[in-house]
């Protein structure tokens, strides 16, 4: 789940409360490229008698494949994670700034409008530009902003620095965490088998097969791989507050898979302890 520490619309405590309302009792907070929401989410989870798996979603790329690498239960102070997230977040900032300049040539929206849509210190992304476009009445919602203005084929679009997935996996493993590829069978298509092998050699633990954007055929191919290689299979809502239609608990992870994540991790433990 995502909070306003990245491109979700809710504060971490509200993400936890939303999960609770939907019957979820164990959740993971996986903001893009930041861990700053962990403490607030942990307090909120403790107050509601829930368990929190602190996590992250690292924005990696292999060729034209955008590859989001989820990391669970790592040490957030580890250098490998710090260095990587600092670099990604800096690059994201410059990228949104440049996209904003391009968009401002054609639409009545300013950099200040975009900043107004972010929380201090948040990982910025296209969803914040979308929110500014909505606030200006240029589009109706994030979906329309992505479809019309923010998609990769648009003249306003630019890429940001993103590590190779093998390096993102390596950083999570170095920090004692458990890496899982997010929505691996979505529109970008499956990674080549050779790349998957490299990721597994680097310590990739599994795949998020339960996600609304995964396509059925490729998901089944990956499921066979997971069974053959005894990999961890997860499912998640990828909740973004009002930023996406995804609802807490719409996809879940089997308890035995959560247990495998917890057993494998050495960087941190679920919160509150026990
Ligand atoms: P960025 O990481 O800045 O390139 O923006 C990509 C993020 O935007 C993804 O992680 C999604 O959370 C979000 N996103 C992508 N497409 C849409 C959409 N159609 N509607 C709402 N959010 C979207
Ligand atoms: Zn997001």
């Amino acid at each position: 789940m995502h909070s306003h520490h990245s491109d979700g619309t809710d504060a971490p405590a509200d993400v936890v409360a939303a999960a609770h309302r939907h019957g979820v009792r164990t959740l993971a907070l996986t903001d893009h490229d930041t861990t700053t929401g962990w403490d607030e989410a942990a307090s909120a989870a403790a107050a509601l008698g829930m368990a929190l798996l602190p996590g992250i979603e690292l924005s990696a790329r292999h060729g034209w494949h955008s590859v989001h690498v989820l990391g669970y239960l790592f040490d957030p102070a580890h250098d490998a994670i710090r260095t990587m997230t600092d670099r990604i977040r800096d690059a994201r900032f410059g990228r949104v700034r440049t996209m904003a300049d391009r968009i401002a040539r054609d639409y009545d929206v300013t950099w200040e409008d975009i900043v107004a849509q972010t929380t201090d210190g948040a990982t910025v992304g296209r969803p914040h530009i979308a929110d500014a476009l909505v606030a200006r009445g240029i589009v109706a919602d994030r979906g329309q902003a992505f479809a019309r203005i923010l998609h990769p084929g648009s003249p306003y679009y630019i890429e940001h620095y993103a590590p190779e997935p093998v390096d993102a996996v390596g950083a999570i493993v170095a920090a004692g965490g458990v890496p899982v590829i997010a929505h691996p069978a979505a529109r970008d298509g499956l990674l080549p088998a050779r790349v998957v092998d490299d990721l597994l050699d680097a310590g990739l633990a599994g795949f998020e097969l339960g996600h609304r954007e995964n396509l059925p055929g490729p998901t089944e191919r990956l499921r066979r791989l997971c069974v053959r290689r005894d990999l961890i299979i997860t499912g998640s809502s990828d909740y973004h507050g009002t930023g996406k239609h995804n609802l807490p608990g719409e996809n879940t992870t089997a308890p035995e898979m959560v247990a495998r994540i917890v057993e494998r991790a050495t960087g941190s433990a679920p919160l509150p302890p026990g």
Side-chain angles (χ1 to χ4, degrees), residues 113-140:
D113 293 332
I114 295 165
V115 171
Q117 297 299 326
T118 68
T119 307
D120 249 2
T123 302
V124 293
R126 284 180 287 160
H128 298 112
I129 307 177
D131 292 345
L133 292 165
V134 174
R136 281 279 180 178
I138 296 164
V139 293

Side-chain angles (χ1 to χ4, degrees), residues 43-103:
S43 306
L48 289 169
M50 299 164 71
L52 174 81
L53 271 67
I56 200 164
E57 186 171 359
L58 292 175
S59 315
R61 191 184 306 117
H62 181 75
W64 50 264
H65 279 267
S66 163
V67 183
H68 285 181
V69 184
L70 294 159
Y72 298 108
L73 299 173
F74 55 89
D75 170 6
H78 195 285
D79 249 7
I81 289 286
R82 284 282 180 97
T83 309
M84 184 167 285
T85 53
D86 283 353
R87 184 160 176 211
I88 299 173
R89 285 158 46 79
D90 278 357
R92 280 178 157 284
F93 188 87
R95 176 262 202 149
V96 166
R97 185 113 219 195
T98 308
M99 282 187 68
D101 289 344
R102 292 186 180 187
I103 293 167

Side-chain angles (χ1 to χ4, degrees), residues 1-19 24 26-45 50-58 69-74 236-241 268 270-271:
M1 301 179 79
H2 296 260
S3 76
H4 68 193
H5 286 253
S6 64
D7 59 4
T9 58
D10 299 350
D14 296 328
V15 172
V16 174
V24 174
T26 301
L27 79 149
L29 184 73
T30 57
D31 274 308
H32 299 282
D33 311 307
T34 184
T35 61
T36 52
W38 286 15
D39 289 348
E40 182 184 320
S43 306
M50 299 164 71
L52 174 81
L53 271 67
I56 200 164
E57 186 171 359
L58 292 175
V69 184
L70 294 159
Y72 298 108
L73 299 173
F74 55 89
S236 88
S237 62
D238 201 2
Y239 177 75
H240 279 70
S268 62
L271 303 164

Side-chain angles (χ1 to χ4, degrees), residues 187-233:
R187 258 192 324 225
D188 263 18
L190 295 179
L191 283 168
R194 157 187 63 74
V195 177
V196 170
D197 282 341
D198 289 347
L199 293 176
L200 291 171
D201 287 347
L204 178 68
F207 290 90
E208 182 187 65
L209 297 188
H211 188 288
R212 63 157 69 198
E213 287 167 37
N214 283 335
L215 305 171
T219 302
E220 286 322 303
R221 279 176 58 188
L222 271 183
R223 195 179 303 280
R224 288 195 288 276
L225 172 80
C226 288
V227 170
R228 199 165 66 238
R229 305 278 298 253
D230 192 27
L231 306 177
I232 293 174
I233 294 173

